[in-house]
Amino acid sequence: TIAEDENETKFDHGDHADDTDTDTDANEPPSLPSKEDVQARMMKVVDAMSNSFKSIRGAEPSPELFDAVQVKAYGSMTPLNVVAQVVIASPTRATITCFDPDTAPGVRDAVRDMAGMNFNPSIEDGAVIVTIPRVSAETRKAIVKQLGKVAESTRQRVRRIRRGAQDVVKKGKDGKLGPGISEDDAFRTGNEIDAVTEECIHRLNQIVDEKQETIMAV
């Protein structure tokens, strides 16, 4: 998952009475968090979790296993799928065809250095060949358990975003955002935030369940 952004739970409600930052627009009117902003922050966290799962293989390998690999090519770090195509030739073998054969050594080294994989790729006729060992049932169970921990950590981040937004909503309910924000507006916004929170948690659970099923599939 992506590193937690300390600002992802902060919602600017326009109340700058105690704000000493001279760059802040003190005349900005108070506002409630929008459900679109809240949902975007939550889904950024969920999507980051989902993307991190791509490099975790299931019972059968897929090209997505190599999505996060960065290759040193042409003087910079480049995503593997920009310089090569991955084909899963069999459950225990991947063939990575480099568009430019000169990049094959860099691709081989990048695959070799994939964390936790212990791959020992070789170069054959300009292509990188990766022997993929089968994952034992015991190892897959351990991976599923770890994914559960990642999922719970992500749920907590989503809930912290909700809490940050609802803290501002409470100010609105208590009449602390000024006359421009009615109590009804605050209650409606609070309900909208709860609704998008449920949607994001539901999507998160779907992603985790699907990945865990893929890992344990025989």
Side-chain angles (χ1 to χ4, degrees):
T1 55
I2 57 173
E4 187 164 355
D5 181 354
E6 64 178 10
N7 292 318
E8 71 188 16
T9 61
K10 296 179 180 178
F11 292 85
D12 183 6
H13 51 76
D15 181 6
H16 302 305
D18 299 321
D19 196 338
T20 57
D21 186 351
T22 56
D23 293 331
T24 301
D25 182 2
N27 296 319
E28 183 181 345
S31 62
L32 293 164
S34 71
K35 68 175 182 179
E36 292 80 12
D37 182 22
V38 174
Q39 186 173 42
R41 297 187 194 201
M42 291 178 175
M43 286 308 302
K44 181 179 179 181
V45 173
V46 174
D47 289 343
M49 180 198 72
S50 180
N51 288 333
S52 75
F53 287 175
K54 290 181 179 180
S55 61
I56 300 173
R57 61 170 295 194
E60 300 294 337
S62 70
E64 284 188 340
L65 180 65
F66 300 92
D67 275 1
V69 175
Q70 295 285 317
V71 178
K72 188 173 183 180
Y74 312 116
S76 63
M77 300 307 292
T78 306
L80 186 147
N81 61 12
V82 172
V83 300
Q85 180 182 26
V86 179
V87 174
I88 303 300
S90 76
T92 58
R93 179 184 172 100
T95 301
I96 304 177
T97 304
C98 302
F99 305 134
D100 178 356
D102 289 342
T103 62
V107 170
R108 175 199 60 202
D109 294 347
V111 171
R112 181 194 62 211
D113 295 339
M114 289 175 66
M117 294 299 178
N118 297 317
F119 290 150
N120 187 25
S122 60
I123 298 175
E124 297 179 12
D125 299 325
V128 177
I129 307 300
V130 187
T131 299
I132 305 174
R134 288 191 177 277
V135 181
S136 69
E138 182 179 356
T139 298
R140 283 184 280 146
K141 288 178 181 177
I143 292 172
V144 165
K145 184 176 181 180
Q146 180 59 32
L147 290 185
K149 292 179 180 179
V150 172
E152 182 53 33
S153 175
T154 306
R155 288 188 197 97
Q156 290 175 9
R157 286 182 64 180
V158 168
R159 290 169 182 145
R160 283 196 291 272
I161 293 171
R162 173 195 173 278
R163 191 180 309 125
Q166 291 288 21
D167 284 347
V168 178
V169 169
K170 187 175 185 306
K171 290 179 181 291
K173 292 178 180 178
D174 294 342
K176 295 179 179 179
L177 294 184
I181 304 297
S182 71
E183 186 176 351
D184 286 344
D185 289 338
F187 271 103
R188 184 182 66 253
T189 299
N191 290 335
E192 290 175 345
I193 290 170
D194 283 344
V196 298
T197 301
E198 290 181 9
E199 290 174 9
C200 290
I201 293 292
H202 178 69
R203 179 58 186 146
L204 184 158
N205 292 339
Q206 281 185 320
I207 292 169
V208 175
D209 289 345
E210 289 171 4
K211 186 63 178 182
Q212 289 178 328
E213 288 176 6
T214 299
I215 291 171
M216 293 307 298
V218 178

